[in-house]
């Protein structure tokens, strides 16, 4: 499925993300933070060697405003390189992937000083309606990432 791109936000997520993408047969890219336009340009050029057309972007990043920003920025950059993503980004990491114990132990409050929190909370629902985030790193063991990607792919139109 070269038309489905797993955008891996952080280097520390790359091993689990790449393994999941390979298992599911999707394209993938590690952005190492917010996607840079030059990185997206080279990615699109490589992708166009095997596929031209619209894509589905799945962001594998933290469940917080920064993680979601990476997915949005990647989609915005792709449009400049003739690789549209009409549905916008999908997000792999959601609170329902974690146990209640993991949420209690690892989620963290998000500061209202971050101007992106209110918009993100309205869009994502936060954790149980509260402005809390959780790092994607806590989804362990890595096989859970693959399972989450498989489940999301089943729900996507193809």
């Amino acid at each position: 499925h070269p038309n489905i791109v797993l955008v891996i936000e952080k280097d520390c997520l790359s091993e689990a993300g790449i393994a999941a993408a390979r298992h599911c047969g999707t394209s993938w890219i590690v952005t190492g933070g917010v996607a840079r336009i030059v990185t997206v340009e080279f990615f699109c050029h490589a992708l166009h060697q095997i596929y031209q057309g619209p894509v589905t972007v799945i962001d594998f990043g933290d469940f917080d405003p920064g993680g979601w920003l990476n997915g949005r920025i990647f989609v915005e950059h792709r449009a400049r390189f003739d690789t549209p993503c009409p549905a916008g980004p999908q997000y792999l990491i959601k609170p329902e992937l974690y146990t209640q114990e993991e949420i209690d132990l690892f989620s963290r409050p998000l500061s209202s000083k971050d101007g992106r929190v209110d918009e993100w909370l309205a869009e994502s629902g936060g954790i149980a309606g509260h402005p809390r985030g959780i790092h994607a790193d806590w989804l362990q063991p890595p096989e859970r990432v693959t399972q989450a990607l498989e489940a999301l792919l089943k729900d996507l139109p193809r």
Side-chain angles (χ1 to χ4, degrees), residues 82-124:
D82 200 27
T83 311
C85 179
Q90 305 289 315
Y91 296 97
L92 183 63
I93 298 299
K94 302 274 182 103
E96 51 269 19
L97 297 176
Y98 297 90
T99 66
Q100 186 59 52
E101 182 179 25
E102 290 168 331
I103 289 173
D104 293 343
L105 290 171
F106 304 126
S107 73
R108 66 202 189 291
L110 301 173
S111 173
S112 59
K113 293 177 185 176
D114 181 339
R116 304 171 297 177
V117 171
D118 290 340
E119 180 183 337
W120 173 83
L121 180 61
E123 183 180 342
S124 72

Side-chain angles (χ1 to χ4, degrees), residues 6 8 12-21 60 139-143 145-146:
L6 184 65
I8 304 165
C12 64
L13 300 174
S14 64
E15 188 174 328
I18 293 168
F60 174 35
L139 191 61
Q140 295 293 330
E143 292 78 24
V145 175
T146 300

Side-chain angles (χ1 to χ4, degrees), residues 27-95:
S27 299
W28 55 269
I29 182 173
V30 180
T31 60
V34 174
R36 289 160 187 78
I37 195 162
V38 69
T39 305
V40 177
E41 179 181 11
F42 280 100
F43 177 83
C44 289
H45 178 72
L47 181 63
H48 289 167
Q49 303 303 307
I50 58 168
Y51 174 80
Q52 299 85 35
V55 298
T56 299
V57 170
I58 300 173
D59 184 72
F60 174 35
D62 294 336
F63 184 72
D64 63 17
W68 282 38
L69 177 65
N70 188 49
R72 279 196 202 95
I73 295 295
F74 189 84
V75 167
E76 288 174 19
H77 288 336
R78 293 183 65 85
R80 296 177 181 171
F81 303 107
D82 200 27
T83 311
C85 179
Q90 305 289 315
Y91 296 97
L92 183 63
I93 298 299
K94 302 274 182 103

